Amino acid sequence: MKIYRLHVLLSTDSRSILRGALEVETKLKEEIIKKGLENEVQILRTGGWGIEEGVQLTVYPGGLIYVINNVEDIPYLVEEHFLKGRPVKKLMYEIDAPAKVEMTAPIEEEIMKKQTRIILRNVGLINPEDIKEYIAHDGYQALAQVLSTMTPEQVISEIKASELSGRGGAGFPTGFKWELTAKAPAKPKYIICNADEGEPGTFKDRVIMEGDPHSIIESMAIAAYAVGANKGFIYVRGEYDLSIDRLNIAIKQSKEIGLLGNNILGTNFDFDVEVRIGAGSYVCGEETALMESLEGKRGEPRSKPPYPSTEGLWAKPTVINNVETLANIPLIILKGAEWYKGLGVEGSRGTKVFTLFGDVNAKGVIEVPFGFTLKELIYEIGYGIKGGKNLKLVQLGGSSGSFITPEHLDVPIDWNSVRKIGAGQGSGAILVLDETRCVIDFLKNLLAFFNHESCGKCVPCRVGLPKALDLLNRVTSGNVEIDELGFMEELANVMKNTSFCGLGQAAANQILESLKYFKSEFINHIETGYCPANKCGRL
Amino acid sequence: MKNEEVGQLIKEYKETGEPLLTLLHKIQNLIPHNHLPAEVLKKVSRELKIPVSSLYSTASFYSMFSLKPRGKHIIRVCSSPPCKLEEYDSLIEAIGEKLNLSIGETTCDGQFTLEEQSCLGLCSLASVMMVDNDIYKNVTVTQLPEILDTYVEE
Ligand SMILES: Cc1cc2nc3c(=O)[nH]c(=O)nc-3n(C[C@H](O)[C@H](O)[C@H](O)COP(=O)(O)O)c2cc1C
Ligand code: FES
């Protein structure tokens, strides 16, 4: 084995690639050869740390992070740091908060200091296309431990004891879900990984699939063993090319060394996983619609009950879990439920991955234990609002999530606390909007999205959304009476109470929350014909 | 209309037991103008003994499939709320002016179709758009002509 003096981790998730990671890689290699360092410096492709700027290079030993915005800076970096050993401060990560923040310490002491990485433990650190690196970071050890020392019942009781809850939006206890399927008599059983991530503003699952695909496969195998399934499907959005590629590579590599297939690790456990690709539909993220789609049909939600646990894919008992939920499993097995329960707060154990973006200084993909407040997330980890402006609104959990207004910034983000203020934490998207944004315009965009994605199966959603949009258009064109806002509220309540699935209910929530927190803005628009944000057409 | 190749794909589908959506993706990629014409759906229906109505019901549901002929290049502008906070409106307007095109339409010369795209999970890079399989980030109106010109045929 070759021993290198320096290891350079290069972020190559899709966001980094769009920012020029492959050009950076080519230039780096060129310069390294030019300086004759090819036997001393090794470049390794990894996922991203979740820094939403430039292409990240992390240099070990040391762990210093460079953020490359321009390939022309590379010759200097190679000469100074790689050849002469002098770190280049001006190419390090810098946050453009009112007072500039320079990130010149190693990654562990700087960006990761406030975070706890369980789910993203390998993302940014290992090459997602090489199973050996996953194994070197304890990969597949949990599976080995489960198969050799635990009964299926023990696995389920460990997951139950950890109080792991689903990260796909609803927070259902995972161990309980597995138990229902394990106890269902019908056969065969299936495991599905829900990787249809379509919630606007959410890209956490993508980060996991692009940075650590094996963790999903390992977790699915553990789930399969626990419930008695032999077949799994990962349903990925058709638009997520790189996720699809990396999952397929991971599956192929696992098969080659016998971690998938028949008689895994010499036991009598067989398990196989296939990637299935969606074709563009938001509602297919809903678990029963997803199963319809997997069966090759229109992705319309089914009536529940029966629930998927007992009658899911092809009417067989099925466990369906979100990508992020699954990524927790290996560490729960390796470190134990007690350890896991030490993270987070009562009722919400473990950590949560958030995508923080919008009008915030340091956008990013971050992971913290449950119980952090939005204030901490936005002002400490995100370094505050862009341009020193004031916060108007946070949309937590994506387009079907909840509005959080500044007075609730101190509420901890965990299932119970968020529920107390009538909100939900949804997918983990944190969209920050500053005082210059117009709520009416934002609501219009939200409703247009739901209208586009409504599957048309039920009347309240199919008919209600165009009605609500029409009303909003009349608010911004000045062609509406104030009491029609009452009608809008009534319409939203009907949609909320009678829509068939979460889509129509979520859409209605957006209307109700806008009216609850920003009614004066509606009235202002109607009475003065003026949009303070200068966003709405006529005004 | 690529009868033989479609036949081959159907044969592979039968042999491998791949999912129906994958078959439809493959057929659509094969057909000029990126769509699933009625006669092709009928052929699939005959050979797989699936009623045309249920194929139609599936194909018409998903936004990645089209039953109408589309342009050689498909422009998809992300229209989800986070991207709409950025440049969406002006992008749609500028594309409209440059190519005389609005959402859902195809240019007369059959070169471009303009579609809305749901969130691509690249929201920290808003506004995002795609042309065919190429993704563009932080797109502004000033960059637009240059991007589109790379797809215009001489
Ligand atoms: C309209 C709608 C869209 C959804 N989209 C997703 C999605 O993209 N990804 C996901 O994991 N769950 C989504 N869900 C939630 C799933 O129905 C389901 O609760 C989840 O896959 C369960 O996994 P978990 O227990 O691991 O959270 C959606 C639900 C609704 C109502
Ligand atoms: S909203 Fe456009 S990529 Fe997410």
Side-chain angles (χ1 to χ4, degrees):
Chain A
M1 206 180 93
K2 227 165 165 174
I3 309 231
Y4 292 93
R5 180 168 58 83
L6 290 179
H7 301 271
V8 181
L9 308 187
L10 169 79
S11 61
T12 56
D13 54 340
S14 49
R15 289 174 344 284
S16 300
I17 289 174
L18 281 171
R19 295 191 194 100
L22 302 181
E23 292 77 15
V24 167
E25 185 181 38
T26 311
K27 188 80 183 171
L28 265 177
K29 287 192 169 153
E30 251 175 58
E31 287 300 314
I32 286 172
I33 291 175
K34 254 195 213 160
K35 295 275 177 310
L37 296 172
E38 60 270 35
N39 291 322
E40 293 181 47
V41 182
Q42 186 187 28
I43 299 173
L44 296 159
R45 288 183 173 199
T46 64
W49 293 118
I51 296 172
E52 293 301 312
E53 234 174 278
V55 177
Q56 300 135 47
L57 299 179
T58 318
V59 185
Y60 285 98
L64 294 181
I65 305 189
Y66 293 106
V67 170
I68 306 295
N69 286 305
N70 185 350
V71 283
E72 299 311 319
D73 290 329
I74 289 176
Y76 184 69
L77 175 71
V78 171
E79 159 115 27
E80 282 298 301
H81 188 156
F82 300 178
L83 186 68
K84 298 181 180 157
R86 295 195 288 240
V88 183
K89 218 166 147 194
K90 69 167 191 189
L91 294 178
M92 288 179 191
Y93 183 38
E94 191 177 88
I95 294 166
D96 211 11
K100 277 210 187 333
V101 186
E102 290 176 348
M103 298 277 188
T104 52
I107 177 131
E108 293 81 5
E109 293 164 31
E110 196 96 80
I111 291 142
M112 296 303 146
K113 199 172 58 191
K114 294 177 188 139
Q115 302 192 35
T116 305
R117 297 219 160 185
I118 309 282
I119 296 156
L120 302 176
R121 60 193 176 279
N122 293 323
V123 176
L125 208 58
I126 66 169
N127 180 348
E129 298 186 5
D130 186 353
I131 191 170
K132 284 192 271 190
E133 294 201 16
Y134 181 66
I135 293 174
H137 284 78
D138 298 338
Y140 290 105
Q141 262 200 32
L143 178 64
Q145 184 173 324
V146 161
L147 294 183
S148 58
T149 66
M150 293 170 89
T151 63
E153 294 73 28
Q154 282 172 329
V155 177
I156 289 175
S157 65
E158 194 70 20
I159 301 299
K160 272 172 84 177
S162 76
E163 297 177 19
L164 171 65
S165 57
R167 306 290 200 256
F172 193 81
T174 306
F176 188 60
K177 201 184 243 187
W178 291 14
E179 187 171 50
L180 288 173
T181 301
K183 287 194 173 145
K187 282 202 170 112
K189 298 176 183 178
Y190 298 103
I191 305 291
I192 298 175
C193 170
N194 188 342
D196 194 45
E197 188 166 66
E199 188 59 60
T202 311
F203 39 102
K204 64 187 181 74
D205 295 345
R206 177 176 200 144
V207 169
I208 300 169
M209 291 187 280
E210 291 177 358
D212 193 16
H214 281 285
S215 69
I216 299 158
I217 295 165
E218 177 176 12
S219 305
M220 288 176 77
I222 294 170
Y225 174 76
V227 306
N230 302 108
K231 179 87 199 175
F233 296 99
I234 310 177
Y235 185 94
V236 193
R237 290 187 64 174
E239 292 92 343
Y240 273 20
D241 291 347
L242 191 64
S243 300
I244 294 168
D245 288 349
R246 290 195 171 156
L247 286 167
N248 276 323
I249 292 171
I251 291 173
K252 186 165 163 276
Q253 291 176 344
S254 312
K255 278 189 184 156
E256 276 165 10
I257 59 171
L259 290 166
L260 283 178
N262 291 341
N263 302 109
I264 295 173
L265 295 168
T267 63
N268 57 9
F269 173 61
D270 306 336
F271 183 61
D272 201 6
V273 180
E274 268 180 54
V275 172
R276 291 286 169 98
I277 301 167
S281 158
Y282 168 75
V283 77
C284 277
E286 195 281 334
E287 54 194 19
T288 58
L290 186 150
M291 291 174 197
E292 289 285 298
S293 178
L294 266 178
E295 293 175 13
K297 301 185 220 151
R298 284 170 84 83
E300 285 178 0
R302 302 173 180 166
S303 312
K304 290 191 263 190
Y307 290 94
S309 322
T310 49
E311 277 182 53
L313 188 59
W314 293 298
K316 299 296 181 197
T318 305
V319 165
I320 178 162
N321 275 131
N322 170 258
V323 171
E324 184 189 344
T325 314
L326 287 170
N328 282 286
I329 304 288
L331 280 195
I332 296 178
I333 298 291
L334 289 178
K335 297 195 171 188
E338 278 310 308
W339 163 81
Y340 190 79
K341 270 178 66 180
L343 297 157
V345 295
E346 177 82 41
S348 305
R349 299 301 182 189
T351 55
K352 177 82 193 82
V353 181
F354 293 100
T355 44
L356 178 63
F357 69 110
D359 302 322
V360 62
N361 282 318
K363 300 177 194 176
V365 180
I366 53 190
E367 181 179 351
V368 292
F370 280 106
F372 268 56
T373 64
L374 275 178
K375 191 184 251 160
E376 289 170 300
L377 294 172
I378 296 171
Y379 289 92
E380 289 177 26
I381 296 182
Y383 289 88
I385 312 292
K386 254 193 219 151
K389 295 204 184 86
N390 287 318
L391 175 73
K392 175 165 201 166
L393 165 70
V394 176
Q395 200 187 34
L396 178 64
S399 293
S400 56
S402 310
F403 284 17
I404 311 276
T405 44
E407 75 255 33
H408 287 138
L409 279 190
D410 284 320
V411 174
I413 306 301
D414 62 71
W415 297 106
N416 294 336
S417 310
V418 169
R419 203 172 294 132
K420 266 190 218 138
I421 56 165
Q425 60 172 357
S427 64
I430 302 178
L431 170 57
V432 178
L433 300 185
D434 71 29
E435 55 193 336
T436 66
R437 303 288 187 177
C438 171
V439 168
I440 317 276
D441 180 63
F442 186 56
L443 179 63
K444 225 197 253 181
N445 295 340
L446 289 168
L447 295 190
F449 166 77
F450 287 114
N451 191 35
H452 185 247
E453 296 295 341
S454 169
C455 74
K457 179 167 171 155
C458 73
V459 177
C461 179
R462 184 181 67 228
V463 180
L465 278 165
K467 280 260 176 259
L469 265 172
D470 172 60
L471 248 167
L472 272 184
N473 281 328
R474 290 197 288 119
V475 169
T476 54
S477 63
N479 187 12
V480 76
E481 299 298 322
I482 293 233
D483 14 319
E484 285 182 87
L485 290 180
F487 172 69
M488 182 137 87
E489 191 168 342
E490 200 182 322
L491 175 70
N493 275 316
V494 171
M495 285 171 66
K496 185 172 174 169
N497 294 329
T498 60
S499 288
F500 191 81
C501 85
L503 192 148
Q505 294 157 11
N509 263 333
Q510 308 309 315
I511 303 175
L512 294 172
E513 292 190 346
S514 309
L515 285 170
K516 177 167 150 199
Y517 294 116
F518 297 99
K519 194 154 193 176
S520 61
E521 206 160 309
F522 283 84
I523 295 175
N524 232 331
H525 271 70
I526 298 170
E527 280 182 346
T528 64
Y530 172 69
C531 171
N534 204 8
K535 244 305 189 181
C536 301
R538 167 188 69 110
L539 310 155
Chain B
M1 181 128 292
K2 301 260 182 187
N3 234 324
E4 241 167 66
E5 287 104 316
V6 172
Q8 182 59 32
L9 288 178
I10 296 177
K11 193 165 151 259
E12 281 169 24
Y13 168 84
K14 284 189 194 155
E15 285 164 5
T16 59
E18 67 186 7
L20 186 64
L21 294 187
T22 308
L23 174 69
L24 296 180
H25 271 302
K26 284 186 183 166
I27 294 177
Q28 177 168 281
N29 288 341
L30 190 72
I31 308 277
H33 299 293
N34 285 301
H35 73 305
L36 294 166
E39 56 279 31
V40 168
L41 287 183
K42 280 188 200 144
K43 181 180 167 76
V44 175
S45 153
R46 266 194 317 274
E47 298 203 12
L48 296 179
K49 304 202 167 49
I50 302 174
V52 183
S53 60
S54 64
L55 277 179
Y56 175 82
S57 134
T58 299
S60 61
F61 181 80
Y62 298 95
S63 66
M64 290 173 93
F65 298 133
S66 174
L67 299 169
K68 285 194 315 204
R70 289 187 279 192
K72 195 160 169 216
H73 303 291
I74 303 176
I75 307 169
R76 297 184 172 95
V77 184
C78 175
S79 64
S80 286
C83 272
K84 274 199 174 163
L85 287 173
E86 304 300 325
E87 297 278 310
Y88 175 84
D89 291 336
S90 40
L91 287 177
I92 294 292
E93 198 177 310
I95 294 171
E97 272 170 26
K98 185 169 162 71
L99 299 173
N100 191 16
L101 195 61
S102 45
I103 293 166
E105 289 180 355
T106 301
T107 50
C108 304
D109 61 1
Q111 281 294 316
F112 291 100
T113 298
L114 176 60
E115 292 182 354
E116 287 183 287
Q117 166 70 48
S118 290
C119 173
L120 284 162
L122 299 167
C123 329
S124 53
L125 301 171
S127 283
V128 177
M129 73 178 234
M130 291 176 83
V131 183
D132 303 335
N133 289 324
D134 307 326
I135 303 177
Y136 298 90
K137 66 168 175 86
N138 303 121
V139 187
T140 60
V141 175
T142 25
Q143 294 163 355
L144 199 62
E146 199 186 322
I147 294 175
L148 294 180
D149 284 345
T150 54
Y151 297 89
V152 175
E153 264 161 43
E154 299 304 314

